[in-house]
Amino acid sequence: MTVTPAHPNAALVLIEFQREWLDPEHGRLNHLVEDRDLLDTAVHAAATALNAARAHGVPVVHVPLVLTPGAPELESWTPARLGLRAAIPKAGTWIEGSEGVRFAEAFRPAPGEPVVRGRAGASAFAGSSDFDLILRRLGVTDLYLAGFATHVCVESTLREAHDRGYAAHVIHDACAAFTRVQQEHVREHVIHHFGDELDAAEFAAACPGRIAASPAG
C-alpha cells in the first residue's frame, strides 16, 4: 500500500499497551505469547510509530482495558458468560488497581493524550467506551491501529471502526497475536475486508505531512 501526506484527520490508536501484555513479571497474557518475536517486533514498531506521531502532531489515543473486580462490566442480559466474558473474570486479568493494568513505561500517555474510559469488551468501542466521542471531538476520520491481540481486540476494533464509517488501517508489525498463524490469518483473510495495512516505517515516513491512505494504494 502507498501512503501519502494528506489531511490532518488521522490518529494513532494504541490498544492495550499495558503490563498484562508487555511485562514478563506482572503480565499474565505475556506468558501466553508463543511466538515471542512477534511481541518483540510489535513493541519496537509501535515505539517507532508513537515517536513519529508525537514528533509531527498526529493525535495519539490510548485504549486500555480496566475492569472492576469480578468484571461486572462484562455481564449481559443472557444468563451465561461465554468467550471473553467468561475467561476474563476467571483469569482475574485487567482488574483496576492491579499491576497488569498499568501502562507499560515506554507507552505511558503523554500530557494531553486522551485515554479511553468505560470500555468493556474486545472492541475499543465496546460498552460505555468514550472512544467514539474522543475521535469525533478530535475530528478524526482515519484510525491507525496498533496493539494486542491482533486477532482479538485489534480485529474487533477494525471491524467496528469500518461499520461506523471510519477508515481503518492496521500497522501490522506494531500488532501481535499469540502465534504467527493467528497473526497471518488476520493479515491474509480479515484486514482487506474492513480496511488496509501498512508497517510502522511507512507510517513514520508519512507523518510529516499527516497521513491518509492513497486512493491508489
Short mmCIF file of all heavy atoms in Angstrom, two decimals, residues 3-46:
data_model
loop_
_atom_site.label_atom_id
_atom_site.label_comp_id
_atom_site.label_asym_id
_atom_site.label_seq_id
_atom_site.Cartn_x
_atom_site.Cartn_y
_atom_site.Cartn_z
N VAL A 3 1.29 5.25 0.95
CA VAL A 3 0.73 6.30 1.80
C VAL A 3 1.30 7.63 1.37
O VAL A 3 2.45 7.74 0.98
CB VAL A 3 1.04 6.05 3.29
CG1 VAL A 3 0.25 4.86 3.79
CG2 VAL A 3 2.51 5.88 3.54
N THR A 4 0.49 8.66 1.43
CA THR A 4 0.91 9.98 1.01
C THR A 4 0.51 11.01 2.04
O THR A 4 -0.50 10.84 2.74
CB THR A 4 0.24 10.35 -0.33
OG1 THR A 4 -1.18 10.24 -0.19
CG2 THR A 4 0.69 9.42 -1.44
N PRO A 5 1.26 12.11 2.16
CA PRO A 5 0.86 13.18 3.06
C PRO A 5 -0.50 13.71 2.65
O PRO A 5 -0.79 13.87 1.47
CB PRO A 5 1.96 14.23 2.87
CG PRO A 5 3.13 13.46 2.34
CD PRO A 5 2.53 12.38 1.49
N ALA A 6 -1.36 13.98 3.62
CA ALA A 6 -2.70 14.43 3.28
C ALA A 6 -3.31 15.18 4.45
O ALA A 6 -2.62 15.86 5.19
CB ALA A 6 -3.56 13.24 2.86
N HIS A 7 -4.61 15.05 4.60
CA HIS A 7 -5.36 15.81 5.60
C HIS A 7 -4.93 15.44 7.02
O HIS A 7 -4.31 14.40 7.25
CB HIS A 7 -6.86 15.55 5.42
CG HIS A 7 -7.22 14.10 5.47
ND1 HIS A 7 -7.22 13.38 6.62
CD2 HIS A 7 -7.60 13.24 4.50
CE1 HIS A 7 -7.59 12.13 6.38
NE2 HIS A 7 -7.82 12.03 5.09
N PRO A 8 -5.24 16.30 7.99
CA PRO A 8 -4.79 16.06 9.38
C PRO A 8 -5.75 15.21 10.20
O PRO A 8 -5.66 15.23 11.43
CB PRO A 8 -4.71 17.48 9.94
CG PRO A 8 -5.83 18.20 9.25
CD PRO A 8 -5.85 17.63 7.84
N ASN A 9 -6.62 14.46 9.55
CA ASN A 9 -7.67 13.77 10.29
C ASN A 9 -7.33 12.35 10.67
O ASN A 9 -8.19 11.47 10.69
CB ASN A 9 -8.98 13.80 9.48
CG ASN A 9 -9.44 15.21 9.19
OD1 ASN A 9 -9.14 16.13 9.94
ND2 ASN A 9 -10.15 15.39 8.09
N ALA A 10 -6.07 12.09 10.97
CA ALA A 10 -5.62 10.76 11.35
C ALA A 10 -5.29 10.72 12.83
O ALA A 10 -4.94 11.74 13.44
CB ALA A 10 -4.40 10.37 10.53
N ALA A 11 -5.38 9.52 13.41
CA ALA A 11 -4.96 9.32 14.80
C ALA A 11 -4.30 7.96 14.91
O ALA A 11 -4.72 6.99 14.27
CB ALA A 11 -6.15 9.40 15.76
N LEU A 12 -3.26 7.90 15.74
CA LEU A 12 -2.64 6.63 16.09
C LEU A 12 -3.38 6.09 17.31
O LEU A 12 -3.51 6.78 18.33
CB LEU A 12 -1.17 6.83 16.42
CG LEU A 12 -0.41 5.61 16.94
CD1 LEU A 12 -0.37 4.51 15.89
CD2 LEU A 12 1.00 6.00 17.37
N VAL A 13 -3.86 4.85 17.20
CA VAL A 13 -4.65 4.23 18.28
C VAL A 13 -3.84 3.08 18.86
O VAL A 13 -3.55 2.10 18.17
CB VAL A 13 -6.00 3.73 17.75
CG1 VAL A 13 -6.80 3.06 18.86
CG2 VAL A 13 -6.79 4.89 17.13
N LEU A 14 -3.48 3.20 20.14
CA LEU A 14 -2.68 2.19 20.82
C LEU A 14 -3.58 1.36 21.73
O LEU A 14 -4.09 1.85 22.74
CB LEU A 14 -1.57 2.86 21.64
CG LEU A 14 -0.56 3.69 20.83
CD1 LEU A 14 0.48 4.29 21.77
CD2 LEU A 14 0.12 2.85 19.76
N ILE A 15 -3.76 0.09 21.38
CA ILE A 15 -4.69 -0.78 22.08
C ILE A 15 -3.95 -1.69 23.06
O ILE A 15 -3.12 -2.52 22.66
CB ILE A 15 -5.48 -1.64 21.06
CG1 ILE A 15 -6.28 -0.73 20.11
CG2 ILE A 15 -6.42 -2.61 21.79
CD1 ILE A 15 -6.92 -1.48 18.96
N GLU A 16 -4.21 -1.50 24.34
CA GLU A 16 -3.72 -2.37 25.42
C GLU A 16 -2.19 -2.45 25.51
O GLU A 16 -1.64 -3.54 25.67
CB GLU A 16 -4.34 -3.76 25.32
CG GLU A 16 -5.83 -3.75 25.56
CD GLU A 16 -6.48 -5.12 25.46
OE1 GLU A 16 -5.77 -6.13 25.37
OE2 GLU A 16 -7.73 -5.16 25.49
N PHE A 17 -1.54 -1.32 25.45
CA PHE A 17 -0.10 -1.30 25.71
C PHE A 17 0.11 -1.23 27.23
O PHE A 17 0.65 -0.28 27.77
CB PHE A 17 0.55 -0.13 24.97
CG PHE A 17 0.80 -0.45 23.52
CD1 PHE A 17 -0.23 -0.36 22.59
CD2 PHE A 17 2.04 -0.89 23.10
CE1 PHE A 17 -0.01 -0.67 21.26
CE2 PHE A 17 2.27 -1.22 21.76
CZ PHE A 17 1.24 -1.11 20.84
N GLN A 18 -0.36 -2.30 27.87
CA GLN A 18 -0.37 -2.41 29.32
C GLN A 18 0.51 -3.58 29.76
O GLN A 18 0.94 -4.41 28.96
CB GLN A 18 -1.81 -2.62 29.81
CG GLN A 18 -2.72 -1.42 29.55
CD GLN A 18 -4.19 -1.78 29.63
OE1 GLN A 18 -4.80 -2.14 28.63
NE2 GLN A 18 -4.77 -1.70 30.83
N ARG A 19 0.76 -3.63 31.05
CA ARG A 19 1.67 -4.65 31.57
C ARG A 19 1.15 -6.07 31.42
O ARG A 19 1.94 -7.01 31.41
CB ARG A 19 1.97 -4.35 33.04
CG ARG A 19 2.82 -3.10 33.24
CD ARG A 19 3.27 -2.96 34.67
NE ARG A 19 4.19 -1.84 34.80
CZ ARG A 19 4.87 -1.58 35.91
NH1 ARG A 19 4.72 -2.35 36.99
NH2 ARG A 19 5.69 -0.55 35.97
N GLU A 20 -0.17 -6.25 31.30
CA GLU A 20 -0.68 -7.60 31.07
C GLU A 20 -0.03 -8.22 29.84
O GLU A 20 0.21 -9.42 29.79
CB GLU A 20 -2.20 -7.59 30.89
CG GLU A 20 -3.02 -7.37 32.15
CD GLU A 20 -3.01 -8.56 33.09
OE1 GLU A 20 -2.31 -9.57 32.83
OE2 GLU A 20 -3.72 -8.50 34.10
N TRP A 21 0.26 -7.39 28.85
CA TRP A 21 0.90 -7.86 27.63
C TRP A 21 2.42 -7.72 27.65
O TRP A 21 3.13 -8.59 27.15
CB TRP A 21 0.37 -7.09 26.42
CG TRP A 21 -1.00 -7.48 25.99
CD1 TRP A 21 -2.14 -6.72 26.09
CD2 TRP A 21 -1.42 -8.71 25.39
NE1 TRP A 21 -3.22 -7.40 25.59
CE2 TRP A 21 -2.80 -8.63 25.15
CE3 TRP A 21 -0.74 -9.87 25.03
CZ2 TRP A 21 -3.52 -9.66 24.56
CZ3 TRP A 21 -1.46 -10.89 24.44
CH2 TRP A 21 -2.83 -10.78 24.21
N LEU A 22 2.92 -6.63 28.21
CA LEU A 22 4.29 -6.25 27.96
C LEU A 22 5.26 -6.44 29.13
O LEU A 22 6.45 -6.20 28.97
CB LEU A 22 4.34 -4.78 27.50
CG LEU A 22 3.53 -4.47 26.24
CD1 LEU A 22 3.71 -3.03 25.83
CD2 LEU A 22 3.92 -5.40 25.10
N ASP A 23 4.77 -6.89 30.26
CA ASP A 23 5.64 -7.06 31.43
C ASP A 23 5.76 -8.55 31.76
O ASP A 23 4.79 -9.17 32.19
CB ASP A 23 5.06 -6.31 32.62
CG ASP A 23 6.00 -6.26 33.81
OD1 ASP A 23 6.78 -7.21 33.98
OD2 ASP A 23 5.94 -5.29 34.57
N PRO A 24 6.94 -9.15 31.58
CA PRO A 24 7.10 -10.58 31.87
C PRO A 24 6.84 -10.93 33.32
O PRO A 24 6.50 -12.07 33.62
CB PRO A 24 8.57 -10.84 31.49
CG PRO A 24 8.91 -9.76 30.52
CD PRO A 24 8.15 -8.56 30.98
N GLU A 25 6.98 -9.97 34.22
CA GLU A 25 6.77 -10.26 35.63
C GLU A 25 5.32 -10.16 36.03
O GLU A 25 4.79 -11.03 36.74
CB GLU A 25 7.59 -9.29 36.49
CG GLU A 25 7.44 -9.52 37.99
CD GLU A 25 8.25 -8.57 38.82
OE1 GLU A 25 9.02 -7.76 38.25
OE2 GLU A 25 8.13 -8.62 40.07
N HIS A 26 4.62 -9.13 35.57
CA HIS A 26 3.25 -8.90 36.00
C HIS A 26 2.19 -9.24 34.95
O HIS A 26 1.01 -9.18 35.24
CB HIS A 26 3.07 -7.43 36.41
CG HIS A 26 3.92 -7.02 37.57
ND1 HIS A 26 5.06 -6.27 37.42
CD2 HIS A 26 3.81 -7.29 38.89
CE1 HIS A 26 5.61 -6.07 38.61
NE2 HIS A 26 4.89 -6.67 39.52
N GLY A 27 2.63 -9.58 33.76
CA GLY A 27 1.67 -9.80 32.68
C GLY A 27 1.30 -11.26 32.50
O GLY A 27 2.12 -12.06 32.03
N ARG A 28 0.08 -11.62 32.84
CA ARG A 28 -0.36 -13.00 32.64
C ARG A 28 -0.47 -13.34 31.16
O ARG A 28 -0.15 -14.45 30.74
CB ARG A 28 -1.70 -13.22 33.34
CG ARG A 28 -1.65 -12.98 34.85
CD ARG A 28 -2.96 -13.33 35.51
NE ARG A 28 -2.97 -12.92 36.90
CZ ARG A 28 -3.96 -13.15 37.75
NH1 ARG A 28 -5.04 -13.81 37.33
NH2 ARG A 28 -3.89 -12.74 38.99
N LEU A 29 -0.94 -12.39 30.37
CA LEU A 29 -1.06 -12.65 28.94
C LEU A 29 0.30 -12.71 28.27
O LEU A 29 0.47 -13.40 27.26
CB LEU A 29 -1.93 -11.58 28.29
CG LEU A 29 -3.40 -11.57 28.75
CD1 LEU A 29 -4.15 -10.43 28.09
CD2 LEU A 29 -4.08 -12.89 28.44
N ASN A 30 1.25 -12.00 28.83
CA ASN A 30 2.61 -12.03 28.29
C ASN A 30 3.13 -13.46 28.21
O ASN A 30 3.79 -13.85 27.23
CB ASN A 30 3.53 -11.18 29.15
CG ASN A 30 4.96 -11.16 28.66
OD1 ASN A 30 5.73 -12.07 28.94
ND2 ASN A 30 5.31 -10.12 27.92
N HIS A 31 2.81 -14.26 29.21
CA HIS A 31 3.31 -15.64 29.26
C HIS A 31 2.61 -16.57 28.27
O HIS A 31 3.09 -17.68 28.03
CB HIS A 31 3.17 -16.19 30.68
CG HIS A 31 4.00 -15.45 31.68
ND1 HIS A 31 5.36 -15.60 31.77
CD2 HIS A 31 3.66 -14.53 32.63
CE1 HIS A 31 5.83 -14.83 32.74
NE2 HIS A 31 4.83 -14.16 33.27
N LEU A 32 1.49 -16.11 27.71
CA LEU A 32 0.75 -16.94 26.77
C LEU A 32 1.20 -16.74 25.32
O LEU A 32 0.77 -17.47 24.43
CB LEU A 32 -0.75 -16.65 26.88
CG LEU A 32 -1.39 -16.93 28.25
CD1 LEU A 32 -2.87 -16.58 28.21
CD2 LEU A 32 -1.19 -18.39 28.66
N VAL A 33 2.03 -15.75 25.10
CA VAL A 33 2.51 -15.49 23.74
C VAL A 33 3.53 -16.56 23.37
O VAL A 33 4.57 -16.70 24.02
CB VAL A 33 3.14 -14.09 23.63
CG1 VAL A 33 3.71 -13.88 22.23
CG2 VAL A 33 2.12 -13.02 23.97
N GLU A 34 3.23 -17.34 22.34
CA GLU A 34 4.10 -18.44 21.94
C GLU A 34 5.22 -17.97 21.01
O GLU A 34 6.37 -18.39 21.16
CB GLU A 34 3.27 -19.53 21.26
CG GLU A 34 2.26 -20.18 22.19
CD GLU A 34 1.44 -21.25 21.51
OE1 GLU A 34 1.93 -21.83 20.51
OE2 GLU A 34 0.32 -21.52 21.95
N ASP A 35 4.88 -17.16 20.04
CA ASP A 35 5.90 -16.65 19.11
C ASP A 35 6.39 -15.31 19.63
O ASP A 35 5.85 -14.24 19.29
CB ASP A 35 5.33 -16.54 17.70
CG ASP A 35 5.06 -17.90 17.08
OD1 ASP A 35 5.84 -18.83 17.37
OD2 ASP A 35 4.09 -18.04 16.33
N ARG A 36 7.41 -15.36 20.46
CA ARG A 36 7.87 -14.19 21.19
C ARG A 36 8.40 -13.09 20.27
O ARG A 36 8.33 -11.91 20.62
CB ARG A 36 8.97 -14.59 22.18
CG ARG A 36 8.61 -15.71 23.14
CD ARG A 36 7.49 -15.32 24.08
NE ARG A 36 7.83 -14.18 24.93
CZ ARG A 36 7.00 -13.70 25.86
NH1 ARG A 36 5.81 -14.25 26.05
NH2 ARG A 36 7.37 -12.67 26.59
N ASP A 37 8.93 -13.48 19.13
CA ASP A 37 9.47 -12.46 18.23
C ASP A 37 8.38 -11.53 17.72
O ASP A 37 8.65 -10.36 17.43
CB ASP A 37 10.20 -13.11 17.05
CG ASP A 37 9.30 -14.01 16.23
OD1 ASP A 37 8.53 -14.80 16.81
OD2 ASP A 37 9.36 -13.91 14.98
N LEU A 38 7.14 -12.02 17.62
CA LEU A 38 6.04 -11.15 17.22
C LEU A 38 5.84 -10.02 18.22
O LEU A 38 5.64 -8.86 17.84
CB LEU A 38 4.74 -11.96 17.12
CG LEU A 38 4.54 -12.86 15.92
CD1 LEU A 38 3.24 -13.63 16.06
CD2 LEU A 38 4.53 -12.05 14.63
N LEU A 39 5.88 -10.37 19.50
CA LEU A 39 5.69 -9.38 20.55
C LEU A 39 6.84 -8.39 20.57
O LEU A 39 6.64 -7.17 20.67
CB LEU A 39 5.53 -10.06 21.90
CG LEU A 39 5.13 -9.18 23.09
CD1 LEU A 39 3.78 -8.53 22.84
CD2 LEU A 39 5.11 -10.00 24.38
N ASP A 40 8.06 -8.90 20.46
CA ASP A 40 9.23 -8.02 20.46
C ASP A 40 9.19 -7.05 19.28
O ASP A 40 9.48 -5.86 19.42
CB ASP A 40 10.52 -8.85 20.41
CG ASP A 40 10.73 -9.69 21.67
OD1 ASP A 40 10.13 -9.36 22.71
OD2 ASP A 40 11.50 -10.67 21.60
N THR A 41 8.84 -7.58 18.12
CA THR A 41 8.74 -6.73 16.93
C THR A 41 7.66 -5.68 17.11
O THR A 41 7.85 -4.51 16.73
CB THR A 41 8.44 -7.58 15.69
OG1 THR A 41 9.53 -8.48 15.46
CG2 THR A 41 8.24 -6.71 14.45
N ALA A 42 6.52 -6.07 17.68
CA ALA A 42 5.41 -5.14 17.86
C ALA A 42 5.79 -3.99 18.78
O ALA A 42 5.43 -2.84 18.54
CB ALA A 42 4.19 -5.88 18.40
N VAL A 43 6.50 -4.30 19.84
CA VAL A 43 6.93 -3.25 20.78
C VAL A 43 7.84 -2.25 20.07
O VAL A 43 7.67 -1.03 20.20
CB VAL A 43 7.63 -3.87 22.00
CG1 VAL A 43 8.28 -2.80 22.85
CG2 VAL A 43 6.63 -4.67 22.83
N HIS A 44 8.80 -2.76 19.33
CA HIS A 44 9.73 -1.88 18.62
C HIS A 44 9.00 -1.05 17.57
O HIS A 44 9.22 0.18 17.46
CB HIS A 44 10.83 -2.72 17.96
CG HIS A 44 11.81 -1.91 17.16
ND1 HIS A 44 12.80 -1.15 17.74
CD2 HIS A 44 11.92 -1.72 15.81
CE1 HIS A 44 13.49 -0.53 16.79
NE2 HIS A 44 12.98 -0.87 15.62
N ALA A 45 8.15 -1.69 16.78
CA ALA A 45 7.45 -0.98 15.71
C ALA A 45 6.47 0.04 16.27
O ALA A 45 6.33 1.15 15.73
CB ALA A 45 6.71 -1.99 14.82
N ALA A 46 5.79 -0.31 17.36
CA ALA A 46 4.85 0.63 17.97
C ALA A 46 5.58 1.85 18.52
O ALA A 46 5.07 2.98 18.44
CB ALA A 46 4.06 -0.06 19.07
#
